[in-house]
């Protein structure tokens, strides 16, 4: 069977460090033999408890009909999955479905001959499909400029603020009144520090939460050209006075114990669940693991905002991943049926309630609300309130930058230099902007 290949130039723009490349290569070599047309191969990045839930989703679909068998395969973290999928497509061993994180969207879009857009897939096989059924704040991240859905929303999350209610009470704070603004956050974290706690708060995914979502929450641009949605000729603008002042404040708090850096991903969660830090900025999808490991009563609150920048917050943006379909197979009616199954009300409501990821459809959101889940689990509705509270603007519908996986690494490096006292906030963000724009120009040259 003939098929289009990912352009070879993608391998240079999205190469991984040698150790990770070796892992990806070994994963590819370890892939099972070729599958039948009735088997649908799904590569994903969900490990542990989430991986078990993915297996259960596939098993549920397989039991619902007797024509197709979806086989999920864990391929490592998001970066490893993307790298493995590109390599596999060139080798002709690509899966039907691959889970790609949101910052890989621009990469997938440039491989037009390799992907099978969801809107086109559903139309070609005649599977009922209503793009308006999906949450606008989620679907808009993965659509073309004329609103056509390219990949299927699957695990979408947004950052929230988890806080230790017991510690708040010990510090003389009202456990039911978490900080709404950053000035209030500073006061609250000083109080818990003075009450004997090791640190006030920590943050996961610092670029996603403290730069990208900070920008959207305050209706500030991350870059020009509508944060990249308007074309490739975009530039980062994350060294604005608002961004600089925010990080400058966090750096000052890191010196007096109100803030502690815990790592680039979710590495610092133990600081929160052990009770060392009282607050924790993390994905809404962290709810299940925090619920299972924290030995104290915790709350979930919206992101704080700077009142001098905005009267009321705009909306937060999503993270997570979608499911992309790769060309080169014949069982696409099975893929379409599986996507309909994943999008169904009961499946999505269960996924949302179990994981903390957003329900990707309006119907699943409504079903969850009607079931009383939010009343029984206070705070679990914060994430969806944040992304749906206001209609997204050009500054708050998301981002679509080429090479953003590497740009995030740059932002992380520069923020770490700030926390270590090696650079000022202005220097760190100036350097992050300059280095990131260099990659954007390279991506533009390679894909225009």
């Amino acid at each position: 069977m003939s098929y289009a290949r990912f352009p070879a130039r993608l391998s240079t723009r999205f190469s991984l460090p040698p150790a990770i490349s070796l892992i990806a290569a070994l994963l590819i070599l370890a892939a099972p033999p070729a599958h039948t047309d009735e088997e649908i191969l799904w590569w994903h990045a969900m490990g542990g408890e989430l991986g078990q839930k993915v297996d259960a989703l596939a098993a549920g679909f397989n039991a619902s009909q007797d024509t197709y068998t979806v086989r999920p395969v864990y391929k490592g973290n998001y970066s490893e999955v993307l790298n493995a999928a590109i390599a596999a497509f060139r080798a002709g061993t690509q899966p039907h479905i691959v889970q790609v994180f949101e910052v890989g969207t621009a990469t997938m879009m440039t491989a037009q001959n390799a992907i099978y857009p969801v809107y086109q897939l559903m139309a070609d096989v005649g599977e009922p499909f209503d793009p308006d059924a999906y949450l606008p704040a989620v679907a808009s991240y993965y659509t073309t400029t004329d609103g056509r859905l390219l990949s299927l929303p699957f695990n979408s999350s947004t950052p929230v603020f988890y806080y230790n209610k017991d510690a708040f009470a010990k510090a003389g704070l009202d456990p039911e009144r978490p900080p709404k603004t950053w000035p209030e956050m500073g006061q609250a974290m000083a109080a818990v520090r003075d009450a004997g706690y090791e640190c006030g708060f920590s943050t996961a995914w610092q670029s996603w939460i403290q730069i990208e979502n900070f920008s959207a929450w305050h209706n500030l641009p991350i870059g020009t050209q509508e944060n990249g949605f308007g074309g490739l000729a975009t530039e980062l603008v994350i060294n604005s006075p608002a961004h600089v002042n925010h990080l400058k404040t966090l750096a000052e708090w890191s010196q007096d114990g109100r803030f502690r850096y815990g790592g680039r991903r979710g590495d610092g969660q133990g600081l929160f669940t052990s009770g060392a830090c009282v607050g924790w900025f993390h994905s809404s999808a962290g709810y299940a693991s925090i619920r299972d490991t924290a030995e104290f009563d915790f709350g979930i609150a919206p992101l704080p905002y700077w009142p001098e920048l905005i009267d009321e917050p705009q909306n937060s943006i999503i993270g997570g991943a979608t499911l992309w379909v790769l060309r080169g197979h014949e069982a696409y009616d099975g893929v379409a049926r599986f996507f309909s199954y994943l999008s169904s009300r009961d499946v999505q409501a269960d996924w949302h309630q179990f994981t903390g990821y957003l329900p990707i459809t309006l119907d699943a959101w409504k079903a969850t609300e009607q079931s009383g889940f939010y009343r029984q689990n206070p705070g679990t509705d914060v994430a969806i309130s944040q992304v749906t509270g206001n209609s997204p603007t050009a500054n708050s519908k998301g981002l679509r930058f080429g090479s953003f996986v590497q740009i995030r690494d740059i932002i992380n490096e520069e923020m770490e230099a700030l926390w270590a006292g090696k650079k000022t906030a202005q220097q760190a963000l100036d350097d992050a902007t300059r280095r990131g724009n260099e990659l954007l120009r390279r991506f533009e040259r390679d894909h225009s």
Side-chain angles (χ1 to χ4, degrees), residues 71-289:
R71 183 161 60 85
V73 178
Y74 174 70
K75 300 294 285 187
N77 65 36
Y78 284 135
S79 297
E80 290 165 351
V81 172
L82 178 58
N83 199 55
I86 292 173
F89 196 92
R90 295 198 203 103
T93 58
Q94 71 274 21
H96 296 74
I97 305 167
V98 60
Q99 182 188 26
V100 178
F101 56 169
E102 87 283 8
V103 294
T105 300
T107 306
M108 298 302 290
M109 289 179 67
T110 61
Q112 295 179 10
N113 294 327
I115 64 171
Y116 197 162
V118 166
Y119 76 88
Q120 184 180 345
L121 163 71
M122 302 303 250
D124 287 349
V125 304
E127 182 72 13
F129 178 65
D130 178 13
D132 293 333
Y134 298 90
L135 289 179
V138 174
S140 64
Y141 207 115
Y142 304 105
T143 59
T144 61
T145 53
D146 56 356
R148 295 181 295 180
L149 197 61
L150 295 170
S151 56
L152 184 78
F154 176 54
N155 58 303
S156 295
S157 59
T158 201
V160 294
F161 180 62
Y162 298 92
Y163 67 99
N164 184 332
K165 286 188 172 183
D166 295 346
F168 265 49
K170 181 179 177 180
L173 301 170
D174 186 343
E176 304 305 323
R177 294 177 59 86
K180 290 185 177 181
T181 68
W182 279 105
E184 291 176 1
M185 179 69 71
Q187 295 169 2
M189 294 304 104
V192 297
R193 177 202 60 198
D194 295 344
Y197 289 90
E198 291 182 26
C199 71
F201 70 91
S202 187
T203 184
W205 304 98
Q206 57 179 356
S207 174
W208 179 52
I209 298 176
Q210 302 301 339
I211 296 292
E212 299 158 42
N213 267 281
F214 168 83
S215 302
W217 199 231
H218 293 87
N219 200 21
L220 299 169
I222 306 166
T224 59
Q225 297 275 17
E226 297 186 11
N227 290 343
F229 277 79
L232 295 178
T234 187
E235 293 186 350
L236 299 176
V237 292
I238 57 174
N239 58 342
S240 75
H243 292 90
V244 170
N245 288 335
H246 177 59
L247 290 198
K248 180 182 177 183
T249 299
L250 296 190
E252 292 171 351
W253 291 354
S254 71
Q255 299 301 310
D256 65 19
R258 282 182 279 183
F259 166 66
R260 179 183 296 181
Y261 177 56
R264 294 186 179 185
R265 294 175 176 262
D267 318 58
Q269 182 159 302
L271 292 172
F272 177 64
T273 55
S274 69
C277 287
V278 171
W280 175 233
F281 287 95
H282 192 29
S283 166
S284 59
Y287 170 72
S289 62

Side-chain angles (χ1 to χ4, degrees), residues 13-27:
R13 296 283 68 80
F14 294 88
S15 59
L16 296 173
I20 297 179
S21 295
L22 176 59
I23 293 172
L26 290 174
L27 288 169

Side-chain angles (χ1 to χ4, degrees), residues 253-409:
W253 291 354
S254 71
Q255 299 301 310
D256 65 19
R258 282 182 279 183
F259 166 66
R260 179 183 296 181
Y261 177 56
R264 294 186 179 185
R265 294 175 176 262
D267 318 58
Q269 182 159 302
L271 292 172
F272 177 64
T273 55
S274 69
C277 287
V278 171
W280 175 233
F281 287 95
H282 192 29
S283 166
S284 59
Y287 170 72
S289 62
I290 292 174
R291 176 196 60 205
D292 293 342
T293 55
E295 297 184 356
F296 49 80
D297 189 19
F298 69 89
I300 306 173
L303 301 175
Y305 65 96
W306 287 104
E308 59 264 41
L309 295 179
I310 197 167
D311 292 334
E312 294 289 339
Q314 173 55 41
N315 64 273
S316 60
I317 57 176
I318 62 170
T322 51
L323 303 183
W324 291 80
V325 182
L326 298 182
R327 294 189 181 274
H329 297 285
E330 295 183 359
Y332 288 115
D333 49 349
V335 174
R337 288 172 64 180
F338 179 52
F339 281 4
S340 291
Y341 175 84
L342 288 179
S343 301
S344 63
R345 182 193 64 181
D346 292 344
V347 170
Q348 268 304 305
D350 175 68
W351 172 255
H352 163 55
Q353 293 169 30
F354 178 83
T355 64
Y357 282 114
L358 298 168
I360 62 170
T361 65
L362 296 166
D363 200 21
W365 176 21
K366 182 178 179 180
T368 299
E369 188 172 39
Q370 292 176 342
S371 73
F373 178 81
Y374 298 134
R375 292 192 305 273
Q376 298 162 14
N377 300 273
T380 53
D381 59 341
V382 167
I384 198 164
S385 296
Q386 283 188 170
V387 299
T388 61
N390 290 302
S391 298
T393 69
N395 295 331
S396 68
K397 66 180 179 180
L399 55 90
R400 190 170 289 170
F401 301 119
S403 298
F404 201 68
V405 178
Q406 295 92 327
I407 290 173
R408 264 191 181 163
D409 285 340

